[in-house]
């Protein structure tokens, strides 16, 4: 398993839980705002953390932590992901998976095997503009839609989430996203934070008021919507 980062404790990554976060290398997208540039562009240059190190911490923290977040990069690219999660589950942890949703077959397999307790899936953009952010050759929106439809079936708890960037997302896009995700349980509008560490720095966030306007567009389509990452 290509473990390229390990945060022993987080109160933020797994809503309602004290968790550890494991970062896996590689991604099939190249989002310009990605904060995990090294994991996406040069994963082979990042030191791998041995699985034994991670499992030794997880064993010691049984009873202190209750969940493990698996993020990346894009975790579903790892060929041994299922076995890896099985080992985490055997220690009694809840598992949250962060995914871009581009490998619906892997997502479905893990969920149907009852190895995942919560999924956070990115919604990069409205369907017709999706690849402006994903930046992938031979991009297929059908794979993303397949993951959206699967999660909306409600087999396990999930959230959709969009990092909202002024240069990419406009009012009409949220009308399209609302129609696409219609009936979904939960959707989060995440304010963008620029940093020199993202793949292409220099993008801008919307104000709280502007995000609240997008919220109002979406609220009749989706059961629960929240805005994240806005400083009061
Ligand atoms: S899908 Fe996620 S990990 Fe991959 S490039 Fe986009 S933001 Fe980064």
């Amino acid at each position: 398993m290509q473990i390229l980062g390990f945060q022993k404790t987080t109160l933020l990554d797994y809503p309602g839980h004290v968790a550890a976060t494991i970062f896996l290398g590689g991604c099939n997208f190249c989002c310009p705002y990605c904060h995990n540039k090294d994991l996406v562009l040069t994963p082979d240059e990042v030191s791998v953390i041995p699985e034994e190190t991670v499992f030794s911490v997880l064993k010691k923290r049984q009873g202190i932590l209750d969940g493990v977040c698996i993020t990346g990069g894009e975790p579903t690219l790892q060929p041994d992901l299922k076995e890896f999660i099985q080992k985490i589950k055997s220690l009694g942890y809840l598992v949250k998976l962060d995914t871009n949703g581009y490998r619906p077959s892997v997502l479905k397999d893990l969920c149907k095997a009852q190895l995942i307790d919560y999924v956070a899936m990115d919604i990069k953009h409205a369907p017709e503009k999706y690849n402006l952010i994903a930046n992938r050759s031979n991009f297929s929106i059908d794979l993303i839609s397949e993951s959206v439809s699967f999660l909306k079936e409600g087999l396990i708890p999930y959230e959709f989430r969009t990092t909202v960037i002024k240069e990419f997302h406009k009012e009409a896009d949220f009308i399209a996203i609302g129609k696409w995700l219609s009936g979904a349980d939960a959707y989060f509008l995440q304010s963008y934070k620029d940093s020199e560490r993202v793949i292409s720095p220099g993008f801008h966030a919307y104000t709280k008021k502007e995000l609240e306007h997008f919220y109002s567009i979406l609220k009749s389509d989706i059961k629960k919507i929240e805005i994240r990452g806005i400083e009061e």
Side-chain angles (χ1 to χ4, degrees):
M1 177 55 66
Q2 195 185 23
I3 303 171
L4 301 188
F6 182 43
Q7 189 177 348
K8 291 180 186 170
T9 309
T10 170
L11 298 173
L12 299 175
D13 290 354
Y14 194 157
H17 296 284
V18 184
T21 300
I22 296 169
F23 297 82
L24 305 180
C27 191
N28 43 7
F29 287 178
C30 190
C31 310
Y33 63 75
C34 180
H35 278 83
N36 291 323
K37 177 163 79 172
D38 298 348
L39 272 55
V40 172
L41 298 184
T42 53
D44 294 339
E45 293 172 18
V46 181
S47 309
V48 174
I49 299 168
E51 264 191 53
E52 304 75 58
T53 306
V54 169
F55 280 105
S56 151
V57 171
L58 292 181
K59 278 181 192 147
K60 279 192 204 134
R61 300 212 151 195
Q62 281 175 300
I64 300 167
L65 304 175
D66 51 358
V68 175
C69 303
I70 301 183
T71 190
E74 175 50 41
T76 61
L77 295 178
Q78 299 289 328
D80 49 350
L81 182 63
K82 192 169 185 180
E83 294 71 26
F84 182 67
I85 297 177
Q86 273 164 340
K87 282 207 253 176
I88 296 172
K89 293 294 286 177
S90 73
L91 297 175
Y93 286 109
L94 298 168
V95 171
K96 170 184 176 244
L97 179 72
D98 290 349
T99 182
N100 62 25
Y102 204 66
R103 300 199 76 200
S105 57
V106 177
L107 176 64
K108 288 179 191 179
D109 183 46
L110 294 173
C111 292
K112 287 178 180 169
Q114 299 186 317
L115 291 172
I116 306 289
D117 300 282
Y118 189 84
V119 176
M121 177 178 155
D122 294 343
I123 297 294
K124 304 291 182 192
H125 214 318
E128 64 277 15
K129 295 187 182 172
Y130 217 89
N131 207 31
L132 290 176
I133 291 185
N135 274 317
R136 196 195 142 88
S137 57
N138 301 318
F139 175 76
S140 163
I141 193 65
D142 293 346
L143 293 170
I144 300 290
S145 284
E146 190 178 333
S147 290
V148 166
S149 300
F150 171 69
L151 289 176
K152 279 168 65 178
E153 285 172 22
L155 194 66
I156 55 164
Y158 66 91
E159 66 180 52
F160 296 121
R161 57 194 189 177
T162 297
T163 300
V164 186
I165 298 175
K166 220 170 196 170
E167 286 81 357
F168 286 105
H169 302 103
K170 308 295 174 198
E171 184 180 54
D173 299 321
F174 292 100
I175 296 170
I177 288 171
K179 287 202 181 95
W180 189 29
L181 303 186
S182 180
D185 288 342
Y187 178 61
F188 293 89
L189 293 161
Q190 302 185 153
S191 182
Y192 174 67
K193 278 197 180 55
D194 197 35
S195 148
E196 279 308 310
R197 298 194 316 273
V198 306
I199 288 180
S200 299
F203 296 117
H204 297 88
Y206 279 105
T207 63
K208 185 179 179 202
K209 200 170 166 202
E210 288 165 330
L211 289 172
E212 283 170 349
H213 175 60
F214 299 145
Y215 174 106
S216 72
I217 290 172
L218 292 152
K219 71 175 183 212
S220 59
D221 292 312
I222 297 169
K223 291 172 194 155
K224 173 184 167 185
I225 307 176
E226 283 179 22
I227 296 172
R228 278 182 181 152
I230 281 281
E231 279 144 30
E232 297 294 330

